[in-house]
Amino acid sequence: MNVSGHRVVTNEELLERLNGEMRHAVAPVTVFVGVEILLGFVGNLVVLGVFFFRYHHCNFRYFVLCLAVFDFISTLTTMPGEILTQQYWYKYPFPIVCKVKSFFNVFTVSGEALCLCTIAVERYRKVCAPFGWQIKHKYALLWIVVIFVVAFVLAFPVFFLWGATSHTKQYGGRYVTVTLCEKDARFSESNTPMAYVTTVEAIIAVCLVIMMCLYVFVAKKLIKLRKKAQYHCKSRSHSALNMNEAGMVNNLISLNNGDVPTVSNVRAPQITQTIDTYDETDGGESEFYDVESCQQDRVTSWNGIERSSRRKRREKAERVRTKTVIMFILTIVFMFTIIMYFTLLTMITRSEDILRTMTDSQKTVYFFFLRLVFINHVINPFVYGCLDPQFKRILKSWCCK
């Protein structure tokens, strides 16, 4: 107590009060991250089981497993570490946890960026250059190893640059010592952490630009093939109808002349050139683009021998488009959230008092959009479940068993 008889609030009590306000402000974000951890853990565990044990051998399988491993690691390290950070923002208790959480944050984000960039290259080759070189199985597996090594090298400096550090903060008219999970105390006055963050951001930005450019070419190619297929569908169906009518007239004339009509009197329309490629990089899965699939459907009605072959080709072409759409969606979500994350992170890095000037509701909104980047570790299983027919069939068979 002071001389007037009032109880003096200790620094520890002030620190607890300050931390409690922050904890209350970000409570909705903590719940949101907790739900993401649950969904991400279960979803990525299912993805790992399906694609590792039941999915057919192809590059798509290998790259999905690569993404799933990064996502699963994040649900076990970065996301729980973030909840701990939100609960003890101003009184961080475990310096080693801060280092581990920060390391895996950079490791998983950079690893996913490299993996999605590789997938963009693979999709571009299959769609835009199907007759050229393709990524073989052994090179795909080797490149996945390279991705993990590069991601580890990029994240390794975090062990030295980040950690729990203490400084004084004004609160309630007094100065209180707070402990935060940010730059390590040895580098608190150094520009090295900022230079490191800028370097990582630049590398990821290059990956984003490459992905965006490649998917623009892929989208243009798919749209062009779709329009060409629709054009040939209309033109060939009209031609087939005219040929069919002509054949019926010839048969009627033959009957009037006493002749017996034969199948040769009615001819199928000639097959014009199609775009057809075979790719062995997906374990024998042919991936091709048939711009006249509708026209060929007309032909198979006249030639039953080719019906099964044409149907399989259409199914394989559809698988190519489906896989491309899946990876395009995952890439768009990653680009949107990672750009938002780095933008907000730059704001808080350059303005140390930004959190102090925010209201509780503003803090909630800020941290919600900052941690929206974790959606990348959760969304993949749901995209596969909605768009990948083989993934859905395997899940359905598991549920039945």
Side-chain angles (χ1 to χ4, degrees):
M1 295 185 178
N2 57 18
V3 293
S4 60
H6 294 89
R7 179 177 178 274
V8 178
V9 180
T10 64
N11 287 337
E12 185 65 27
E13 290 175 334
L14 278 178
L15 179 60
E16 184 62 38
R17 187 182 303 173
L18 176 64
N19 190 77
E21 291 178 359
M22 185 64 178
R23 182 185 301 165
H24 175 75
V26 298
V29 183
T30 303
V31 174
F32 175 71
V33 175
V35 173
E36 285 184 313
I37 292 175
L38 179 61
L39 295 177
F41 179 83
V42 176
N44 287 296
L45 199 61
V46 171
V47 170
L48 288 172
V50 170
F51 280 88
F52 187 81
F53 294 106
R54 297 292 302 275
Y55 212 86
H56 68 277
H57 291 274
C58 60
N59 289 348
F60 179 76
R61 176 201 185 200
Y62 303 145
F63 291 131
V64 166
L65 285 174
C66 179
L67 289 174
V69 170
F70 282 117
D71 294 335
F72 193 68
I73 291 175
S74 181
T75 60
L76 297 178
T77 57
T78 307
M79 297 167 73
E82 181 57 32
I83 289 182
L84 182 66
T85 301
Q86 293 175 2
Q87 294 299 302
Y88 299 96
W89 185 267
Y90 288 113
K91 45 181 297 187
Y92 204 86
F94 309 112
I96 188 63
V97 175
C98 175
K99 290 181 177 292
V100 172
K101 185 263 295 188
S102 302
F103 167 82
F104 280 108
N105 185 33
V106 178
F107 176 74
T108 54
V109 170
S110 58
E112 285 202 7
L114 294 171
C115 188
L116 288 172
C117 186
T118 305
I119 292 172
V121 173
E122 193 243 4
R123 290 292 103 188
Y124 170 80
R125 296 303 304 178
K126 287 187 179 298
V127 175
C128 299
F131 292 103
W133 63 267
Q134 303 294 329
I135 301 178
K136 303 297 182 180
H137 285 342
K138 59 180 180 180
Y139 297 122
L141 294 174
L142 178 62
W143 190 247
I144 289 174
V145 175
V146 172
I147 288 174
F148 277 92
V149 172
V150 173
F152 180 85
V153 171
L154 287 177
F156 186 72
V158 173
F159 277 120
F160 305 98
L161 301 177
W162 259 253
T165 182
S166 300
H167 62 84
T168 58
K169 177 180 176 62
Q170 188 175 6
Y171 176 74
R174 293 168 55 181
Y175 285 95
V176 59
T177 302
V178 298
T179 303
L180 305 176
C181 175
E182 53 177 27
K183 292 184 293 185
D184 192 272
R186 296 171 295 176
F187 298 93
S188 58
E189 302 298 329
S190 173
N191 292 327
T192 304
M194 179 58 67
Y196 166 74
V197 171
T198 304
T199 302
V200 174
E201 289 180 353
I203 294 174
I204 295 179
V206 171
C207 293
L208 295 181
V209 172
I210 293 174
M211 286 186 281
M212 181 176 63
C213 294
L214 291 179
Y215 277 115
V216 167
F217 290 120
V218 169
K220 291 175 62 177
K221 184 68 174 181
L222 290 178
I223 293 173
K224 181 179 179 181
L225 290 173
R226 177 68 68 179
K227 290 182 178 180
K228 194 170 183 179
Q230 292 175 352
Y231 171 78
H232 281 282
C233 176
K234 293 179 181 179
S235 62
R236 290 302 173 181
S237 61
H238 179 71
S239 175
L241 180 61
N242 292 337
M243 293 292 292
N244 189 23
E245 291 176 351
M248 293 178 63
V249 171
N250 290 335
N251 283 341
L252 290 176
I253 295 175
S254 299
L255 287 174
N256 291 333
N257 293 332
D259 298 331
V260 179
T262 62
V263 177
S264 59
N265 292 122
V266 185
R267 296 187 178 273
Q270 296 295 321
I271 306 175
T272 58
Q273 182 182 3
T274 60
I275 298 178
D276 215 24
T277 70
Y278 180 81
D279 181 14
E280 297 179 351
T281 60
D282 278 350
E285 176 186 347
S286 304
E287 297 192 348
F288 70 100
Y289 304 90
D290 193 345
V291 299
E292 299 185 9
S293 58
C294 185
Q295 171 229 336
Q296 290 177 355
D297 286 345
R298 299 288 181 178
V299 177
T300 55
S301 65
W302 297 91
N303 191 349
I305 299 177
E306 297 183 357
R307 184 176 302 142
S308 177
S309 174
R310 299 300 182 187
R311 183 177 64 253
K312 290 180 180 179
R313 290 187 176 185
R314 290 195 302 273
E315 292 173 353
K316 291 170 184 176
E318 185 62 31
R319 284 201 295 270
V320 174
R321 290 189 289 267
T322 299
K323 292 176 182 179
T324 304
V325 170
I326 289 174
M327 291 307 172
F328 178 74
I329 292 175
L330 297 182
T331 302
I332 290 297
V333 173
F334 179 82
M335 294 174 62
F336 174 76
T337 56
I338 204 66
I339 291 174
M340 182 185 300
Y341 174 76
F342 282 131
T343 301
L344 296 177
L345 190 63
T346 303
M347 289 174 53
I348 195 175
T349 303
R350 294 186 175 180
S351 180
E352 297 180 353
D353 296 332
I354 188 173
L355 293 178
R356 183 176 61 84
T357 59
M358 287 182 178
T359 64
D360 289 349
S361 59
Q362 289 175 334
K363 289 178 182 176
T364 301
V365 173
Y366 178 85
F367 278 98
F368 173 79
F369 285 103
L370 181 68
R371 300 308 175 187
L372 201 62
V373 68
F374 290 147
I375 201 70
N376 294 293
H377 308 307
V378 180
I379 192 175
N380 296 28
F382 297 96
V383 175
Y384 304 145
C386 293
L387 299 179
D388 191 344
Q390 185 175 357
F391 184 82
K392 290 189 289 187
R393 285 196 299 268
I394 295 173
L395 281 184
K396 184 176 180 181
S397 65
W398 280 7
C399 293
C400 293
K401 291 179 180 180

